[in-house]
Amino acid sequence: MTMSAAMTPLETLKQYFGYDNFRSGQQMLIDDILAGKDVLGIMPTGAGKSICFQIPSLMMDGCSIVVSPLISLMKDQVNSLTQSGIPAAFINSSLNERQIYKALQNARDGAYKLIYAAPERLLEPNFLSFAKSAGISMLTIDEAHCISQWGQDFRPSYAQIPEFAASLPRRPVISAFTATATRLVRDDIADLLKLNDPTVLVTGFDRQNLYFEVQKPKDKYSALITFLKDKKERSGIVYCGTRAAVEEVCEKLKSDGYNASRYHAGLSDIERRENQDDFLYDRAQIMTATNAFGMGIDKSNVSFVVHYNMPKDIESYYQEAGRAGRDGESADCLLLYSGQDVHTNRWLIENGRDKEYQDKETEILLKEREHKRLREMTFYCTTNNCLREYVLKYFGEKPSNFCGNCGSCNTNFETTDITVDTQKILSCVSRMNERYGLNMVIDVLRGSKGGKILRFGLDKLSTYGISEKSERQLRDIINQLILAGYLLKTDDEYPVIKLGEHANRVLRGGETVQMKLAKEKEVKESPKSTKKQTVMKPVSRELFAVLRELRLTIANEQGVPAFVIFPDSTLTDMCMKTPVTEEDFLNVSGVGIVKLERYGKRFLSAIAEFLQNNGDTKTIK
Ligand code: ADP
Ligand code: ZN
């Protein structure tokens, strides 16, 4: 396969990866990298970060170095790239000296477009001398939050990256990627990596296809079994807080007839590898694991992630839960919470041994931050408000207070007529001459006796104390009214609430206003899931099964996980498009040129055979 210099990023995407469009943000980062600009891409798990550096790597002269923290991640990525006809290699401790020597020699000869390396490797003499002599077009840092002590996953070896970059004869473009979006970490990454006026792209963190739920069951195991009832043959992960819990849950599941496997740091390397493969290759349906499992696992058809224990922070939770539904299909994320989880996590912060600290002072500071993150995680488990809203706010977004696709929204919210409340709020804002901020408006509505209120004489207004709603409810209502254009919040340093363009419709036009509002507090023990059943796309289940079987055969022949051959979404698209010619096949989402050449014939003939046996019609149900 030769690359033509004239290919555009979009053509490259189609040719190698078989996709027709870029996802939001990808094109911009790619264009900027190609223009020689540093970039920092902050995108949630599953958003498609890899393509943002893989495509420019392909298009630029020379090769890129991708720094990545985990061996399994590198291996899968290199596997996938090779499958798509892109020359790539990894260099890490899973190779012996000879293999490393050979790989570096090939790299010197220009055999690869991408080289994945662990951060510890960068300053090693052999690697460094290779990097200095080769034309390195780009340095990519994956999981870039690992460089920040503010992050949840600090790795000292990441601190070597700037020194490595500085020692290259010509500074390459630097691109950094992470799924962690807190402001502090973001700034830290840009600082520490010395990014040069980078383009920072933060794509929305919402994963709309994920359903979130928290349960507080008396008996976690039976809650798990209830949850698994309608998940036959679907892949999923059950994360447990400790090794002992992994063992226990895995054993129970097995004796209840589930095809479960296990993964934690106490197992031998060989067993870990085997179990992980069983899961990746769809031989085991459920993986019970500690958080040691999964960082490198981009298995696309994980359709549920259960947390048997509460994790230590929202970052970890969202990352782990985010391993569900990477193929875009709807998937479930359930957290089973108990008060004991808080104690366990507190203990781990104080006594855990997996962290290194420079000195006592840093230790105290970092532990404080960990406690804070734990409190925020605990809050997620106990809130009655929209779970998605909570997480997205945590990552700095401004979501609506009702998502309609989480455990809280489905049980704790009710549609309420708030016309009268709206009239009260609007006239209050008007009587306050549209000159005050949100808190003052709320205080006046609730009849607060705060000093400012009395000083400004706001207690004399006819709307003073007119509302009996709680502060939280008023805040929700006002925010919704802003979103709906009944109110307006100015964009100043001290924002002021004013009447919006639609205010008169309610004040004079007789318009009614309805809104989903959180029911007032009543803590549920273990709410029955009220989730809508997932609707299967109208594709032939039998054809899908046939193609899945073929994929498994090919994967076994090649010794790679099935999703490396094609993700489920590509098989689904084949079922819908039922391609007949090679050209049709290339139109299937996820089929690039090399995969057409490699697998086109076999899949096309499997589809043709299926159609013939099933009435040779293109519209199958
Ligand atoms: P991340 O690293 O952000 O977690 P990945 O790079 O692993 O995500 O991408 C997740 C999935 O989305 C992969 O299966 C990938 O092939 C797919 N993907 C990425 N970009 C696109 C695109 N433009 N169109 C369709 N699928 C895409
Ligand atoms: Zn919600």
Side-chain angles (χ1 to χ4, degrees):
M1 177 102 344
T2 52
M3 265 158 282
S4 130
M7 260 201 324
T8 64
L10 194 61
E11 286 160 356
T12 312
L13 177 73
K14 180 71 190 162
Q15 162 145 2
Y16 286 94
F17 298 94
Y19 298 128
D20 291 321
N21 307 101
F22 282 113
R23 288 194 184 146
S24 118
Q26 287 177 330
Q27 173 98 52
M28 174 180 154
L29 290 183
I30 291 169
D31 287 347
D32 279 1
I33 291 174
L34 289 173
K37 229 169 160 299
D38 288 352
V39 306
L40 171 54
I42 296 163
M43 302 155 116
T45 310
K49 289 185 277 297
S50 324
I51 276 181
C52 299
F53 59 83
Q54 288 165 349
I55 291 208
S57 300
L58 270 169
M59 298 179 67
M60 290 189 284
D61 290 336
C63 85
S64 302
I65 292 178
V66 183
V67 182
S68 168
L70 279 153
I71 292 179
S72 56
L73 183 93
M74 297 185 212
K75 185 155 184 280
D76 279 351
Q77 288 230 354
V78 168
N79 258 338
S80 289
L81 288 168
T82 315
Q83 281 291 329
S84 303
I86 300 168
F90 58 80
I91 295 192
N92 61 35
S93 58
S94 75
L95 305 181
N96 62 32
E97 283 301 312
R98 273 180 56 103
Q99 290 170 315
I100 292 179
Y101 178 79
K102 190 94 192 78
L104 284 177
Q105 195 164 41
N106 290 342
R108 270 207 183 86
D109 295 343
Y112 309 120
K113 292 307 289 179
L114 293 107
I115 295 176
Y116 285 72
E120 300 78 23
R121 183 70 42 186
L122 300 176
L123 296 179
E124 275 192 5
N126 282 342
F127 191 84
L128 196 57
S129 102
F130 147 73
K132 282 181 173 169
S133 65
I136 305 296
S137 51
M138 172 165 65
L139 178 62
T140 294
I141 293 93
D142 206 2
E143 312 286 353
H145 60 276
C146 293
I147 201 170
S148 170
Q149 293 213 1
W150 288 100
Q152 80 284 12
D153 203 12
F154 172 62
R155 280 160 201 259
S157 55
Y158 263 61
Q160 303 181 351
I161 298 173
E163 190 183 336
F164 171 74
S167 62
L168 297 178
R170 192 171 55 94
R171 182 187 184 279
V173 182
I174 300 185
S175 57
F177 297 88
T178 174
T180 302
T182 50
R183 181 93 235 171
L184 286 166
V185 176
R186 205 189 299 171
D187 293 346
D188 227 13
I189 294 173
D191 269 4
L192 295 172
L193 288 176
K194 301 198 172 57
L195 298 184
N196 190 356
D197 184 23
T199 303
V200 180
L201 177 92
V202 188
T203 62
F205 265 62
D206 192 10
R207 298 275 312 279
Q208 289 178 2
N209 59 325
L210 300 186
Y211 173 84
F212 292 98
E213 182 169 331
V214 177
Q215 290 182 16
K216 211 170 161 186
K218 288 219 169 63
D219 175 357
K220 287 191 179 184
Y221 186 72
S222 57
L224 175 62
I225 293 297
T226 310
F227 171 82
L228 290 175
K229 272 223 174 75
D230 62 350
K231 310 264 180 319
K232 297 250 154 52
E233 295 188 23
R234 298 219 264 146
S235 276
I237 306 173
V238 178
Y239 279 111
C240 303
T242 60
R243 294 177 193 181
V246 171
E247 294 292 339
E248 187 189 323
V249 174
C250 183
E251 276 316 304
K252 279 189 180 161
L253 284 174
K254 278 186 179 160
S255 66
D256 281 331
Y258 287 91
N259 185 359
S261 187
R262 58 180 187 167
Y263 190 103
H264 59 68
L267 304 173
S268 70
D269 282 355
I270 296 176
E271 182 177 355
R272 273 209 307 261
R273 181 88 234 161
E274 277 175 6
N275 293 354
Q276 171 174 323
D277 282 352
D278 283 346
F279 182 64
L280 290 184
Y281 291 67
D282 292 334
R283 292 188 291 259
Q285 183 211 347
I286 301 175
M287 177 59 96
T288 47
T290 58
N291 63 3
F293 178 73
M295 219 170 147
I297 306 303
D298 51 8
K299 182 174 164 68
S300 59
N301 63 336
V302 174
S303 86
F304 59 86
V305 171
V306 177
H307 279 77
Y308 206 76
N309 300 103
M310 177 181 74
K312 64 184 167 57
D313 48 40
I314 297 276
E315 284 90 346
S316 309
Y317 181 64
Y318 206 56
Q319 187 168 50
E320 286 158 17
R323 295 196 175 111
R326 290 174 81 134
D327 51 8
E329 306 287 327
S330 44
D332 298 306
C333 306
L334 171 66
L335 197 162
L336 300 174
Y337 168 80
S338 76
Q340 180 58 39
D341 295 336
V342 182
H343 297 297
T344 312
N345 275 303
R346 278 204 197 122
W347 189 89
L348 282 172
I349 292 175
E350 287 307 325
N351 306 291
R353 264 185 278 270
D354 61 337
K355 282 254 157 70
E356 323 160 30
Y357 300 102
Q358 280 161 343
D359 47 50
K360 194 71 196 164
E361 215 173 306
T362 322
E363 176 174 348
I364 293 172
L365 182 74
L366 293 186
K367 282 184 173 169
E368 232 165 63
R369 288 177 195 161
E370 287 178 48
H371 281 294
K372 175 160 181 284
R373 284 198 289 266
L374 176 61
R375 281 195 296 277
E376 286 162 329
M377 181 73 238
T378 311
F379 217 84
Y380 173 87
C381 297
T382 52
T383 180
N384 262 353
N385 297 313
C386 173
L387 297 174
R388 180 173 264 104
E389 178 204 15
Y390 184 82
V391 171
L392 295 179
K393 266 193 179 157
Y394 183 85
F395 287 124
E397 296 189 14
K398 296 195 181 69
S400 134
N401 75 326
F402 177 81
C403 79
N405 191 28
C406 78
S408 292
C409 285
N410 287 359
T411 52
N412 303 337
F413 280 65
E414 56 196 352
T415 307
T416 317
D417 186 308
I418 51 154
T419 311
V420 176
D421 298 289
T422 306
Q423 288 165 343
K424 289 178 183 171
I425 294 169
L426 297 185
S427 43
C428 186
V429 168
S430 158
R431 298 230 151 82
M432 290 170 80
N433 290 326
E434 307 180 72
R435 278 173 39 200
Y436 296 92
L438 179 63
N439 292 335
M440 287 291 269
V441 174
I442 292 176
D443 283 352
V444 172
L445 282 162
R446 303 191 67 223
S448 145
K449 296 203 166 47
K452 271 201 198 158
I453 303 268
L454 304 181
R455 206 155 0 108
F456 296 138
L458 295 172
D459 55 332
K460 306 287 181 324
L461 297 179
S462 60
T463 52
Y464 178 75
I466 199 179
S467 175
E468 61 295 334
K469 287 268 183 287
S470 71
E471 191 204 320
R472 160 87 204 187
Q473 281 184 321
L474 281 175
R475 203 172 283 279
D476 277 354
I477 295 177
I478 292 176
N479 280 329
Q480 295 277 318
L481 292 177
I482 293 170
L483 286 175
Y486 296 111
L487 285 173
L488 182 151
K489 187 171 170 185
T490 60
D491 222 2
D492 312 318
E493 191 182 350
Y494 299 105
V496 164
I497 305 289
K498 295 176 178 266
L499 294 182
E501 51 176 339
H502 301 326
N504 270 335
R505 294 190 194 165
V506 182
L507 286 176
R508 294 182 229 297
E511 190 166 287
T512 61
V513 186
Q514 302 217 328
M515 190 177 285
K516 288 277 190 182
L517 279 186
K519 291 183 200 162
E520 283 295 75
K521 285 271 176 271
E522 56 176 290
V523 178
K524 294 234 167 42
E525 263 298 293
S526 166
K528 275 269 164 299
S529 177
T530 53
K531 188 194 164 212
K532 300 166 254 124
Q533 280 301 312
T534 354
V535 200
M536 262 299 268
K537 283 188 188 145
V539 296
S540 159
R541 288 190 135 274
E542 295 103 88
L543 177 56
F544 187 86
V546 169
L547 299 181
R548 201 178 124 122
E549 196 57 42
L550 173 58
R551 177 179 68 178
L552 193 62
T553 311
I554 297 176
N556 286 337
E557 286 166 13
Q558 313 231 350
V560 296
F563 64 84
V564 167
I565 305 291
F566 284 126
D568 280 7
S569 52
T570 298
L571 299 190
T572 307
D573 205 37
M574 284 185 208
C575 293
M576 303 222 269
K577 293 192 173 131
T578 56
V580 175
T581 65
E582 295 205 336
E583 202 182 330
D584 298 341
F585 196 67
L586 203 50
N587 270 329
V588 172
S589 171
V591 178
I593 298 275
V594 171
K595 290 200 174 169
L596 166 71
E597 282 168 4
R598 288 198 184 160
Y599 310 126
K601 284 217 170 59
R602 291 172 80 176
F603 277 91
L604 282 172
S605 68
I607 293 168
E609 189 183 338
F610 180 88
L611 292 179
Q612 201 155 38
N613 296 338
N614 290 273
D616 193 13
T617 159
K618 283 213 98 179
T619 45
I620 41 176
K621 289 273 138 50

